[in-house]
């Protein structure tokens, strides 16, 4: 269980879903261990969050456990989407912990957002990688099969074809050096938004335990600030691509970002209510 996710499932506002898919990572595998590590390294956090003045354990979070993964990524995403749709039908927010980034397609399908906001070192706009249309490097392309537009924060790597695709009108790319000054546009207040965080958006100095680390990335504070800014507009959240190749830096950052999302979303909901 994610520490503090003690709400009764039937009365929860947020539901953690682990998705340990690990079939297409192109460099360092190990995302199958991601959900367990994120939960484990969250165990050191205080229940009380000073910035939010709120207890995580009283924020209405339940943990549905992991959805066991298998090798057929397309089939797995279909099944995971059905699990996430159950969460949405219960008027709760799915909080998915990967697993490779491919798993994000499932909650995106369940939430059916207008805008897909993603923090990622990579554009992930390929149609396929090594012949695999369900590679983790295709996730933003798949998200655009559902959402009208994508905002990619912190991207610094992609093929020439991906950068050409990113220049089209339905994609906005914010370079790492510009993320600190970025804020959600006013239009987000009227649109359904989904937020995905690939932990490799962070500089490898902050999150070395990931499949395809990329230097010159975001700081942990910049990622936190993005999560806090987007969470009030979002109907779903995931954090992905944590593996077991470090001493827990990536997992502890991912866990803290999940909590930051809950606190910011809960605060906004309380204000709106």
């Amino acid at each position: 269980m994610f520490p503090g996710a003690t709400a009764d499932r039937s009365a929860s506002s947020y539901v953690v879903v682990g998705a340990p898919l690990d079939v297409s990572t192109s460099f360092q595998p190990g995302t199958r261990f991601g959900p367990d590590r994120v939960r484990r390294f969250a165990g050191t956090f205080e229940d009380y969050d000073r910035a939010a003045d709120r207890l995580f354990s009283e924020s209405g979070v339940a943990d549905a456990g992991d959805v066991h993964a298998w090798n057929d990524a397309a089939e797995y995403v279909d099944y995971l989407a059905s699990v996430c749709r159950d969460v949405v039908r219960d008027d709760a927010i799915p909080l998915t912990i990967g697993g490779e980034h491919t798993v994000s397609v499932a909650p995106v399908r369940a939430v059916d957002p207008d805008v897909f906001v993603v923090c990622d070192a990579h554009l992930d706009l390929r149609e396929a990688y090594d012949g695999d249309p369900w590679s983790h490097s295709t996730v933003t392309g798949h998200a655009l099969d559902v959402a009208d537009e994508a905002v990619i924060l912190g991207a610094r790597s992609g093929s020439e074809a991906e950068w050409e695709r990113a220049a089209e009108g339905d994609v906005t790319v914010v370079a790492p050096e510009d993320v600190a000054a970025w804020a959600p546009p006013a239009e987000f207040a009227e649109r359904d938004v989904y937020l995905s965080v690939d932990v490799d958006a962070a500089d490898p100095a902050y999150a070395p335990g990931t499949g395809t680390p990329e230097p010159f990335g975001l700081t942990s504070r910049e990622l936190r600030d993005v999560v806090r800014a987007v969470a009030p507009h979002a109907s779903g959240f995931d954090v992905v691509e944590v593996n077991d190749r470090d001493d827990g830096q990536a997992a502890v950052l991912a866990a803290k970002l999940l909590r930051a999302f809950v606190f910011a979303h809960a605060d906004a909901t309380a204000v709106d209510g």
Side-chain angles (χ1 to χ4, degrees), residues 11-184:
S12 59
S13 299
Y14 309 90
V15 178
V16 174
V17 179
L21 186 69
D22 189 11
V23 296
S24 75
T25 303
S26 47
F27 181 46
Q28 297 184 124
T31 53
R32 72 194 65 183
F33 304 110
D36 282 345
R37 284 176 70 81
V38 171
R39 292 183 178 102
R40 178 155 62 92
F41 281 90
T44 63
F45 300 154
E46 296 285 354
D47 190 26
Y48 176 72
D49 184 87
R50 175 62 176 164
D53 190 23
R54 181 186 292 271
L55 298 175
F56 188 79
S57 61
E58 295 182 359
S59 298
V61 184
D63 190 334
D66 287 356
V67 177
H68 177 71
W70 57 92
N71 288 338
D72 187 327
E75 187 178 87
Y76 178 71
V77 166
D78 283 345
Y79 182 75
L80 182 62
S82 71
V83 173
C84 293
R85 285 191 187 99
D86 287 343
V87 174
V88 174
R89 283 193 199 101
D90 292 338
D91 292 326
I93 302 288
L95 308 171
T96 306
I97 305 175
E100 63 180 62
H101 208 165
T102 310
V103 304
S104 300
V105 180
V108 167
R109 287 179 176 175
V111 170
D112 191 20
D114 301 312
V115 187
F116 177 68
V117 179
V118 57
C119 300
D120 200 328
H122 310 90
L123 292 173
D124 286 352
L125 286 166
R126 296 175 186 269
E127 294 183 0
Y129 186 80
D130 280 347
D132 180 6
W134 283 98
S135 162
H136 67 141
S137 64
T138 67
V139 64
T140 301
H142 284 293
L144 282 168
D145 291 336
V146 179
D148 298 329
E149 64 173 295
V151 179
I152 309 173
L153 302 168
R156 49 199 182 274
S157 178
S159 68
E160 185 176 7
E162 286 180 282
W163 284 108
E164 290 174 355
R165 175 66 183 88
E168 296 182 19
D170 58 349
V171 178
T172 301
V173 179
V174 181
E177 57 269 28
D178 297 326
V179 168
W182 180 85

